[in-house]
Amino acid sequence: MRVLYGLSIGVLALGTAALLGAGTSQVMAYSEYAQGCQNCHGDFRAANYVSIADGQAWGTSLHNGHRSDMLNGDCAACHTTPGFSPVFLKSSDGGDGLAPLGCLGCHGRDESSGVTGAGLRQHHWNNGVTGCGGCHPGDSNPAVFTPASEVVLPPYYLNPGANHPNMPTHPCNLESLGYPEDVLSAAGTGGLDNNGDNLYDTTDVDCAPLVPVEQTTWGYIKALYQ
Ligand code: HEC
Ligand code: HEC
Ligand code: HEC
Ligand code: HEC
């Protein structure tokens, strides 16, 4: 049974790769992690996640990388009672002093119409994963919507609640703050592209006013050689 299950996942992954390769807009995702994100990012609890954004091996699962390394074991940041499944992208019980936003707490920002994952969708779009637009037509395509600047703090960075000393603190991932978005990647190799324009952290001109000139230049040089 395990073998059969593995095989069918393999076939799914191949199917996804073929679809991506062909540049079609077919992609499945809904309001829960397991309904679509999992098709490309795998089981959240699978060991040894390797980032498909920067290729770095986390040495642990997406689950432990998030809950242990960033959230000090605060299950309710993402989970919703009763039980541990499903996990919603935009809601949770909220954890210790955290707003009940789940994944959007860090992967979303206030786009003035409320907290949404527009930047996350545009990061996908700008890397060929345009299928988000099928169900989120209003903000997935950079041509139709401009997300808030990279410098806008995701809600959990802004209000980290209590007892989350390892919460990321800044979307520009500043060297002067110790690269707070590089939790699982090596320091300085890139946190999140929060506004989805495919420019990370200090290589994003939005962050330039916050960064000493030599650090910005270094960011560009590193981006060139990545
Ligand atoms: C069709 C495949 C596919 C699906 C479905 C998908 N992703 Fe991705 N995702 C990718 C790829 C490919 C990248 C890396 C793009 C790059 O940076 O080259 C990525 C990158 C990311 C990143 C890193 C962004 C950054 O700033 O570096 C996050 C976070 C993410 N995805 C979360 C999600 C979530 C949450 C969902 C479900 C709502 C999802 N993904 C669905 C393919 C997918
Ligand atoms: C960063 C968000 C996040 C945090 C924090 C988190 N989890 Fe999860 N957890 C998930 C996701 C996503 C899944 C996969 C859900 C799915 O596939 O339906 C999951 C799945 C689980 C499952 C399996 C549920 C099932 O029935 O398949 C258990 C058990 C679980 N988590 C326990 C915990 C515990 C205990 C904590 C705190 C110590 C915790 N989680 C913290 C995101 C999180
Ligand atoms: C506490 C903030 C926070 C929360 C809450 C959070 N994430 Fe993340 N997530 C991050 C950061 C920061 C990274 C990048 C870490 C790094 O590169 O070192 C990341 C990375 C990821 C990646 C890896 C993308 C890649 O391949 O590089 C995925 C997938 C992802 N998150 C999905 C989720 C999902 C799904 C949820 C909700 C169940 C969630 N995250 C909740 C902060 C968070
Ligand atoms: C098959 C339809 C479908 C596709 C394709 C889809 N989503 Fe969604 N998504 C939904 C639905 C439905 C919700 C829940 C909407 C709500 O309750 O407001 C949702 C909610 C979300 C949310 C939280 C709410 C918000 O405003 O941001 C995020 C983040 C998200 N999706 C990201 C993605 C990403 C990234 C992709 C592409 C990789 C994607 N979605 C593709 C149907 C889809």
Side-chain angles (χ1 to χ4, degrees), residues 33-34 38 43-45 63 66-67 71 73-79 84-87:
Y33 181 78
Q38 185 172 280
D43 189 311
F44 212 70
R45 295 192 297 161
H63 201 214
H66 280 86
R67 67 174 176 176
L71 287 158
D74 192 350
C75 316
C78 302
H79 286 287
F84 288 103
S85 188
V87 172

Short mmCIF file of all heavy atoms in Angstrom, two decimals, residues 33-34 38 43-45 63 66-67 71 73-79 84-87, ligand 2:
data_model
loop_
_atom_site.label_atom_id
_atom_site.label_comp_id
_atom_site.label_asym_id
_atom_site.label_seq_id
_atom_site.Cartn_x
_atom_site.Cartn_y
_atom_site.Cartn_z
N TYR A 33 -3.87 24.04 3.13
CA TYR A 33 -2.57 23.60 2.62
C TYR A 33 -2.69 22.29 1.84
O TYR A 33 -2.15 22.15 0.74
CB TYR A 33 -1.57 23.42 3.78
CG TYR A 33 -0.22 22.98 3.26
CD1 TYR A 33 0.64 23.90 2.67
CD2 TYR A 33 0.17 21.64 3.29
CE1 TYR A 33 1.85 23.51 2.13
CE2 TYR A 33 1.38 21.24 2.76
CZ TYR A 33 2.22 22.18 2.19
OH TYR A 33 3.42 21.79 1.65
N ALA A 34 -3.41 21.31 2.41
CA ALA A 34 -3.43 19.97 1.83
C ALA A 34 -4.20 19.89 0.52
O ALA A 34 -4.11 18.90 -0.20
CB ALA A 34 -4.01 18.98 2.84
N GLN A 38 0.26 21.35 -1.34
CA GLN A 38 0.95 20.08 -1.13
C GLN A 38 1.37 19.42 -2.44
O GLN A 38 2.36 18.69 -2.48
CB GLN A 38 -0.02 19.18 -0.35
CG GLN A 38 0.53 17.85 0.08
CD GLN A 38 -0.44 17.14 1.01
OE1 GLN A 38 -0.51 17.42 2.19
NE2 GLN A 38 -1.20 16.22 0.45
N ASP A 43 4.15 16.98 1.48
CA ASP A 43 3.53 16.87 2.79
C ASP A 43 4.24 17.82 3.75
O ASP A 43 5.47 17.80 3.82
CB ASP A 43 3.64 15.42 3.28
CG ASP A 43 2.82 15.16 4.53
OD1 ASP A 43 2.93 15.96 5.50
OD2 ASP A 43 2.08 14.17 4.55
N PHE A 44 3.51 18.62 4.46
CA PHE A 44 4.11 19.60 5.37
C PHE A 44 5.00 18.92 6.42
O PHE A 44 5.95 19.51 6.91
CB PHE A 44 3.00 20.41 6.08
CG PHE A 44 3.37 21.84 6.40
CD1 PHE A 44 3.52 22.78 5.38
CD2 PHE A 44 3.55 22.27 7.71
CE1 PHE A 44 3.84 24.12 5.66
CE2 PHE A 44 3.87 23.61 8.01
CZ PHE A 44 4.02 24.52 6.97
N ARG A 45 4.67 17.66 6.74
CA ARG A 45 5.42 16.97 7.80
C ARG A 45 6.52 16.06 7.25
O ARG A 45 7.22 15.39 8.01
CB ARG A 45 4.46 16.17 8.67
CG ARG A 45 3.49 17.11 9.43
CD ARG A 45 2.73 16.37 10.51
NE ARG A 45 1.88 15.34 9.95
CZ ARG A 45 1.38 14.33 10.64
NH1 ARG A 45 1.67 14.16 11.90
NH2 ARG A 45 0.59 13.45 10.05
N HIS A 63 7.09 21.46 8.60
CA HIS A 63 6.38 21.55 9.88
C HIS A 63 7.31 22.00 11.01
O HIS A 63 7.09 23.01 11.66
CB HIS A 63 5.76 20.18 10.17
CG HIS A 63 4.62 20.21 11.14
ND1 HIS A 63 4.38 19.18 12.01
CD2 HIS A 63 3.64 21.13 11.37
CE1 HIS A 63 3.29 19.46 12.73
NE2 HIS A 63 2.82 20.63 12.36
N HIS A 66 8.95 25.49 10.62
CA HIS A 66 8.07 26.59 11.01
C HIS A 66 7.79 26.58 12.52
O HIS A 66 8.02 27.55 13.22
CB HIS A 66 6.73 26.51 10.25
CG HIS A 66 6.78 27.05 8.86
ND1 HIS A 66 7.16 26.30 7.78
CD2 HIS A 66 6.47 28.27 8.35
CE1 HIS A 66 7.08 27.04 6.67
NE2 HIS A 66 6.67 28.24 7.00
N ARG A 67 7.27 25.47 13.02
CA ARG A 67 6.76 25.51 14.41
C ARG A 67 7.89 25.57 15.43
O ARG A 67 7.76 26.26 16.44
CB ARG A 67 5.84 24.33 14.70
CG ARG A 67 6.49 22.97 14.69
CD ARG A 67 5.51 21.88 15.15
NE ARG A 67 6.13 20.57 15.05
CZ ARG A 67 5.56 19.45 15.45
NH1 ARG A 67 4.35 19.47 15.97
NH2 ARG A 67 6.19 18.30 15.32
N LEU A 71 8.40 29.52 15.57
CA LEU A 71 7.23 29.82 16.40
C LEU A 71 7.27 29.21 17.80
O LEU A 71 6.26 29.23 18.52
CB LEU A 71 5.95 29.38 15.66
CG LEU A 71 5.60 30.30 14.48
CD1 LEU A 71 4.69 29.58 13.47
CD2 LEU A 71 4.94 31.59 14.96
N GLY A 73 7.05 26.38 19.05
CA GLY A 73 6.08 25.35 19.40
C GLY A 73 4.66 25.86 19.63
O GLY A 73 3.86 25.18 20.27
N ASP A 74 4.35 27.04 19.10
CA ASP A 74 3.01 27.59 19.31
C ASP A 74 2.04 27.05 18.24
O ASP A 74 1.84 27.65 17.19
CB ASP A 74 3.07 29.12 19.25
CG ASP A 74 1.80 29.77 19.75
OD1 ASP A 74 0.80 29.04 19.95
OD2 ASP A 74 1.80 31.00 19.94
N CYS A 75 1.46 25.90 18.53
CA CYS A 75 0.64 25.18 17.56
C CYS A 75 -0.52 26.02 17.01
O CYS A 75 -0.85 25.97 15.83
CB CYS A 75 0.06 23.91 18.19
SG CYS A 75 1.25 22.97 19.17
N ALA A 76 -1.15 26.81 17.88
CA ALA A 76 -2.36 27.55 17.48
C ALA A 76 -2.07 28.71 16.53
O ALA A 76 -3.00 29.33 16.01
CB ALA A 76 -3.08 28.06 18.72
N ALA A 77 -0.79 28.99 16.26
CA ALA A 77 -0.49 30.00 15.24
C ALA A 77 -1.07 29.55 13.91
O ALA A 77 -1.52 30.37 13.11
CB ALA A 77 1.03 30.19 15.12
N CYS A 78 -1.06 28.22 13.65
CA CYS A 78 -1.58 27.70 12.38
C CYS A 78 -2.80 26.81 12.55
O CYS A 78 -3.59 26.67 11.62
CB CYS A 78 -0.51 26.87 11.67
SG CYS A 78 1.00 27.76 11.32
N HIS A 79 -2.91 26.14 13.70
CA HIS A 79 -3.98 25.15 13.85
C HIS A 79 -5.27 25.77 14.40
O HIS A 79 -5.26 26.84 14.99
CB HIS A 79 -3.50 23.99 14.74
CG HIS A 79 -2.56 23.08 14.03
ND1 HIS A 79 -2.95 22.19 13.05
CD2 HIS A 79 -1.20 22.93 14.12
CE1 HIS A 79 -1.91 21.54 12.58
NE2 HIS A 79 -0.82 21.97 13.21
N PHE A 84 -6.11 18.80 14.53
CA PHE A 84 -4.96 19.38 13.83
C PHE A 84 -5.14 19.46 12.32
O PHE A 84 -4.24 19.86 11.60
CB PHE A 84 -3.70 18.60 14.18
CG PHE A 84 -3.23 18.85 15.59
CD1 PHE A 84 -3.46 17.91 16.59
CD2 PHE A 84 -2.60 20.04 15.92
CE1 PHE A 84 -3.02 18.15 17.90
CE2 PHE A 84 -2.17 20.29 17.21
CZ PHE A 84 -2.39 19.34 18.20
N SER A 85 -6.28 19.03 11.82
CA SER A 85 -6.52 19.08 10.39
C SER A 85 -7.99 19.46 10.16
O SER A 85 -8.84 19.02 10.94
CB SER A 85 -6.21 17.71 9.77
OG SER A 85 -6.26 17.77 8.38
N PRO A 86 -8.33 20.25 9.17
CA PRO A 86 -7.44 20.87 8.20
C PRO A 86 -6.70 22.10 8.75
O PRO A 86 -7.06 22.63 9.80
CB PRO A 86 -8.41 21.30 7.09
CG PRO A 86 -9.70 21.58 7.79
CD PRO A 86 -9.75 20.60 8.94
N VAL A 87 -5.67 22.53 7.99
CA VAL A 87 -4.97 23.78 8.30
C VAL A 87 -5.30 24.78 7.20
O VAL A 87 -5.08 24.52 6.02
CB VAL A 87 -3.44 23.54 8.38
CG1 VAL A 87 -2.70 24.87 8.49
CG2 VAL A 87 -3.11 22.64 9.56
C1 HEC B 2 3.41 27.04 10.66
C2 HEC B 2 2.13 26.42 10.87
C3 HEC B 2 2.05 25.26 11.84
C4 HEC B 2 2.39 25.22 13.16
C5 HEC B 2 2.95 26.36 14.02
C6 HEC B 2 2.09 23.89 13.63
N1 HEC B 2 1.57 23.14 12.60
FE1 HEC B 2 0.93 21.22 12.71
N2 HEC B 2 0.49 21.23 10.72
C7 HEC B 2 0.63 22.32 9.89
C8 HEC B 2 0.25 21.93 8.54
C9 HEC B 2 0.22 22.84 7.33
C10 HEC B 2 -0.12 20.57 8.60
C11 HEC B 2 -0.61 19.68 7.47
C12 HEC B 2 -2.11 19.73 7.48
C13 HEC B 2 -2.72 18.87 6.42
O1 HEC B 2 -2.01 18.28 5.62
O2 HEC B 2 -3.97 18.81 6.42
C14 HEC B 2 0.03 20.16 10.00
C15 HEC B 2 -0.27 18.88 10.47
C16 HEC B 2 -0.21 18.52 11.80
C17 HEC B 2 -0.65 17.23 12.32
C18 HEC B 2 -1.28 16.12 11.50
C19 HEC B 2 -2.77 16.36 11.43
C20 HEC B 2 -3.50 15.31 10.62
O3 HEC B 2 -4.56 14.87 11.07
O4 HEC B 2 -3.02 14.97 9.53
C21 HEC B 2 -0.42 17.23 13.67
C22 HEC B 2 -0.72 16.12 14.66
C23 HEC B 2 0.16 18.52 13.99
N3 HEC B 2 0.26 19.28 12.83
C24 HEC B 2 0.54 18.92 15.25
C25 HEC B 2 1.10 20.14 15.57
C26 HEC B 2 1.53 20.51 16.91
C27 HEC B 2 1.41 19.60 18.12
C28 HEC B 2 2.03 21.78 16.81
C29 HEC B 2 2.64 22.63 17.93
C30 HEC B 2 3.68 21.97 18.72
C31 HEC B 2 1.91 22.20 15.42
N4 HEC B 2 1.35 21.18 14.69
C32 HEC B 2 2.30 23.45 14.93
C33 HEC B 2 1.06 23.58 10.24
C34 HEC B 2 1.53 23.94 11.49
#
